[in-house]
């Protein structure tokens, strides 16, 4: 079977797969490569609202929203460059730290991590008027980022977003929208995002996330008490809390939190082997407890008066009927339906009602499940000294004495989120990494419950004024290193490392549009495209860019394949991807390589376009799918 040869080019839009899906569904709406909106409206007219075109719709709108959508759709002009020596256990770790503008980094990661991330936690700028909300550049995003962070000619640093600005809220929304939109695509179908926020933008954030994630995927807005005394400098109310907003990607099922100690005190009963349990009344209480509310949940249990056993059907003469009765003697209902009661009858027991000669039915609720404490749903208010701002500062200073950082989040807060949303081997993303609290919390939790949670942290190298640690990214890396060292000194095993990557310009030249009429200039453009890579490209950088663009995560296994004698060929594989990637960046692919290389299934071979002549392309395309740069 003849495989294909494909020229690798930079995508025109980040959502090209969606456009292609639309083309497959409605080919008739495309003309000359563009969408005819009138034709689309005709195709889906039955699904459209019966309103005049241009009529106002409910939703969140602001000056700059179209620009924000455009930013979200445009592909990255950058790539990630490995920065060896900055991390810990770099050859074996699966944890990643990335320095760069998080919007561009999210775009770079999308091809390899779409649908792979189980949980996102972010603590973005709260927009109090003193926070930094820098403007994203549409045409030259990576170059602007490099200038902003002093890696190219200086062009100013991050800019604040003063309340006096006429676009105070709009600037923040335009900043956040594309980042949240792309982050949704990175989540697994059962993934969830936690966003810390305060009162300044919580209302706008809810509306914006309703649009991006779908209102039906809203889970909760949790109040986190982080300063029980309240902030005394407030004018009217001493604010004592911030918020965390939760949205799911699809069908998220919380794992709950371990049974709190005050709950455990309620488990005063012991079974025959000493396991603690409590009795929960099966009769529904509170609202909706009447028979007429759920008639199918009004039925009798049969209680054996000799031993207190419960059944759905009468089994002996010692049975008595027990119906759900309310305090006033009227008919109530049970919490379970008949089918549930039949399947879980072994969990029920009958007890006499105190002071009366009648029975009630109780569910036996054990404190432990599979040898460990059971979990419960977290409440909508998180209260505890471990969640306080003081706790965050205390934990930070324990590791980073003398290195100032404002308002670090407490590791216990992120740990609490992790317990609800993650299990072994899950990937957690934090693209406002700050001082690295998320990595700290993951290291601690992995040690505590023996789970191999993996992190991807992204932080822009925002200046700090500290000569030893000139950027926030440097502070975060140093904190992760120190936490890793401490845990290793305590004998902790597992992955306590991380690798560092930095955002940089793409190694692949972009095609420059030409609208003039000079044949010489056109010829020069084509001559420049003979070599599609930028001048001075580095092998490690190009290899990383190819790996990401081909959908392989950064923790993929990369090895030089010694089967090929005349060329250096890297073989890339990952446990979640069913095919392999072969990469050769030599100037010429030798005959031995083109004749020996074989692919299986969807295996891909990538090389420089100029490295193959037509005959070798034909030979290779008979054996494997070929892509050229």
């Amino acid at each position: 079977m003849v495989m294909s040869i494909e020229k690798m080019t930079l995508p025109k839009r980040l959502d090209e797969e969606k456009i292609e899906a639309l083309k497959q569904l409605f080919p008739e709406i495309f003309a000359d490569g563009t969408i005819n909106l009138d034709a689309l409206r005709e195709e889906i007219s039955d699904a459209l609202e019966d309103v005049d075109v241009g009529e106002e719709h409910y939703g969140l709108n602001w000056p700059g929203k179209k620009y924000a959508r455009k930013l979200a759709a445009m592909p990255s002009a950058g790539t990630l460059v490995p920065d060896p020596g900055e991390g810990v256990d770099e050859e074996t770790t699966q944890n990643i730290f990335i320095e760069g503008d998080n919007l561009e980094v999210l775009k770079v990661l999308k091809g390899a991590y779409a649908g792979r991330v189980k949980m996102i936690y972010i603590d973005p700028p709260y927009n109090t008027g003193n926070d930094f909300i820098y403007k994203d550049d549409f045409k030259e995003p990576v170059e602007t980022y490099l200038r902003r962070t002093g890696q190219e000619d200086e062009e100013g640093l991050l800019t604040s977003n003063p309340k006096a600005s006429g676009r105070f809220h709009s600037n923040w929304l335009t900043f956040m929208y594309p980042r949240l939109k792309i982050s949704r695509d990175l989540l697994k179908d059962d993934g969830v995002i936690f966003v810390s926020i305060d009162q300044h933008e919580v209302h706008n954030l809810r509306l914006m996330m309703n649009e991006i994630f779908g209102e039906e995927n809203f889970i909760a807005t949790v109040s986190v008490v982080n300063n029980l005394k309240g902030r005394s400098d407030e004018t009217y109310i001493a604010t004592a809390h911030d918020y965390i907003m939760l949205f799911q990607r699809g069908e998220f099922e919380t794992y709950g939190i371990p049974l709190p100690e005050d709950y455990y005190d309620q488990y005063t009963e012991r079974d025959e082997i000493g396991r603690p349990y409590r009795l929960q009344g099966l009769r529904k209480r509170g609202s909706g407890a009447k028979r007429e509310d759920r008639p199918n949940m009004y039925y009798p249990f049969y209680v054996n008066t000799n031993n207190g056993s419960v059944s759905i059907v009468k089994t002996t003469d010692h049975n008595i009927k027990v119906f759900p009765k309310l305090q006033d003697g009227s008919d109530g209902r049970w919490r379970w339906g008949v089918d549930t009661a039949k399947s879980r009858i072994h969990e029920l027991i009958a007890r006499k009602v105190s002071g009366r000669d009648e029975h009630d039915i109780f569910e036996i609720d054990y404190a432990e499940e599979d040898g460990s404490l059971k979990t419960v749903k977290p409440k909508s208010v998180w209260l505890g000294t471990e969640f306080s701002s003081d706790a965050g500062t205390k934990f930070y200073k324990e590791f980073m004495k003398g290195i100032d950082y404002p308002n670090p989040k407490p590791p216990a807060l992120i740990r609490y989120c992790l317990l609800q949303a993650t299990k072994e081997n899950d990937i957690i993303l934090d693209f406002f990494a700050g001082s690295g609290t998320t990595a700290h919390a993951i290291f601690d939790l992995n040690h505590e419950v023996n789970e191999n949670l993996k992190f991807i942290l992204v932080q822009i190298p925002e200046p700090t004024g500290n000569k030893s640690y000139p950027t926030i990214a440097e502070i975060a890396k140093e904190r992760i290193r120190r936490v890793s060292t401490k845990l290793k000194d305590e004998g902790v095993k597992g992955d306590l490392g991380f690798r560092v990557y930095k955002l940089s310009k793409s190694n692949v030249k972009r095609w420059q549009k030409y609208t003039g009429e000079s044949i010489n200039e056109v010829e020069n453009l084509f001559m420049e495209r003979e070599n599609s890579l930028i001048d001075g490209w580095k092998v490690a950088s190009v290899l990383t860019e190819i790996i990401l663009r081909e959908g392989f995560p950064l923790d993929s296994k990369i090895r030089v394949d010694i089967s090929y004698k005349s060329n250096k060929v890297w073989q890339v594989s990952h446990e979640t991807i069913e095919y392999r990637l072969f990469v050769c960046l030599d100037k010429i692919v030798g005959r031995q390589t083109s004749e020996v290389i074989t692919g299986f299934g969807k295996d891909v071979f990538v090389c420089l376009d100029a490295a193959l002549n037509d005959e070798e392309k034909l030979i290779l395309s008979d054996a494997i799918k070929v892509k050229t740069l």
Side-chain angles (χ1 to χ4, degrees), residues 102 106 119-126 176 179-180 183 193-197 205 209 243-245 409 414 429-433 438 458:
N102 52 18
L106 289 171
M119 171 184 150
I120 296 173
Y121 171 82
I122 56 171
D123 181 23
Y126 282 2
M176 289 298 298
R179 289 162 172 82
L180 288 170
S183 73
I193 182 171
F194 296 74
V195 184
S196 285
I197 197 66
L205 179 66
M209 295 188 73
Y243 303 95
I244 291 183
M245 193 170 294
K409 279 288 185 283
I414 299 175
L429 169 65
D430 181 350
F431 53 90
F432 286 96
T438 296
V458 185

Side-chain angles (χ1 to χ4, degrees), residues 15 21 31 73 110 128 140 142 163 229 247 274 290 299 309 312 352 395 401 410 412 429 433 506 554 590 621:
D15 55 358
K110 185 175 182 290
T128 62
E140 295 184 335
V142 179
K163 291 184 178 180
K229 295 179 180 179
F247 271 80
K290 297 179 179 179
Y299 55 89
S309 63
I312 291 294
K352 276 194 173 184
F395 273 94
K401 293 176 181 177
L429 169 65
S506 172
L554 291 169
S621 64

Side-chain angles (χ1 to χ4, degrees), residues 381-552:
V381 176
W382 297 357
L383 174 64
T385 56
E386 68 273 22
F387 299 144
S388 70
S389 299
D390 288 344
T393 300
K394 177 185 175 182
F395 273 94
Y396 174 81
K397 288 184 175 180
E398 180 182 340
F399 290 89
M400 305 294 284
K401 293 176 181 177
I403 306 173
D404 292 335
Y405 183 83
N407 304 317
K409 279 288 185 283
L413 176 65
I414 299 175
R415 176 187 180 277
Y416 204 65
C417 298
L418 292 166
L419 286 170
Q420 299 168 49
T422 62
K423 288 295 184 184
E424 189 169 1
N425 296 319
D426 281 340
I427 298 173
I428 296 90
L429 169 65
D430 181 350
F431 53 90
F432 286 96
S435 68
T437 305
T438 296
H440 190 158
I442 288 172
F443 279 167
D444 282 346
L445 188 61
N446 280 343
H447 165 51
E448 180 183 336
V449 300
N450 194 31
E451 291 187 343
N452 184 33
L453 301 177
K454 295 164 280 193
F455 64 74
I456 301 174
L457 265 58
V458 185
Q459 176 59 43
I460 192 169
E462 182 181 335
T464 62
N466 185 318
K467 292 183 179 180
S468 299
Y469 300 95
T471 69
I472 292 178
E474 293 296 334
I475 289 176
K477 288 185 291 184
E478 179 61 17
R479 180 181 183 179
I480 301 170
R481 287 191 285 259
R482 293 185 184 186
V483 173
S484 174
T485 298
K486 180 178 183 294
L487 292 173
K488 286 181 178 179
D489 290 345
E490 294 173 353
V492 175
K493 305 296 182 182
D495 187 351
L496 293 169
F498 67 102
R499 290 204 299 271
V500 177
Y501 293 83
K502 292 185 176 181
L503 179 67
S504 187
K505 298 176 185 177
S506 172
N507 296 283
V508 181
K509 294 178 182 176
R510 285 189 173 273
W511 175 253
Q512 301 296 319
K513 288 185 178 180
Y514 180 71
T515 57
E517 298 179 358
S518 170
I519 293 182
N520 289 336
E521 290 179 0
V522 172
E523 288 177 347
N524 289 336
L525 283 175
F526 278 107
M527 287 180 65
E528 289 178 8
R529 290 294 297 175
E530 287 182 2
N531 181 4
S532 60
L533 297 179
I534 62 174
D535 295 336
W537 60 271
K538 300 290 193 297
V539 169
S541 178
V542 174
L543 182 60
T544 301
E545 182 166 3
I546 292 171
I547 287 170
L548 287 169
R549 287 175 56 186
E550 288 300 305
F552 282 78

Side-chain angles (χ1 to χ4, degrees), residues 32-81:
D32 295 328
T34 61
I35 299 175
N36 185 325
L37 292 179
D38 290 333
L40 177 59
R41 288 191 186 96
E42 290 177 7
E43 290 294 325
I44 60 173
S45 58
D46 291 342
L48 293 175
E49 291 185 64
D50 187 18
V51 295
D52 294 335
V53 176
E55 186 174 329
E56 293 180 342
H57 289 73
Y58 174 78
L60 178 65
N61 287 291
W62 68 91
K65 185 174 183 179
K66 288 183 178 179
Y67 184 73
R69 284 175 168 167
K70 200 172 182 181
L71 282 170
M74 290 301 295
S76 173
T79 187
L80 301 182
V81 177

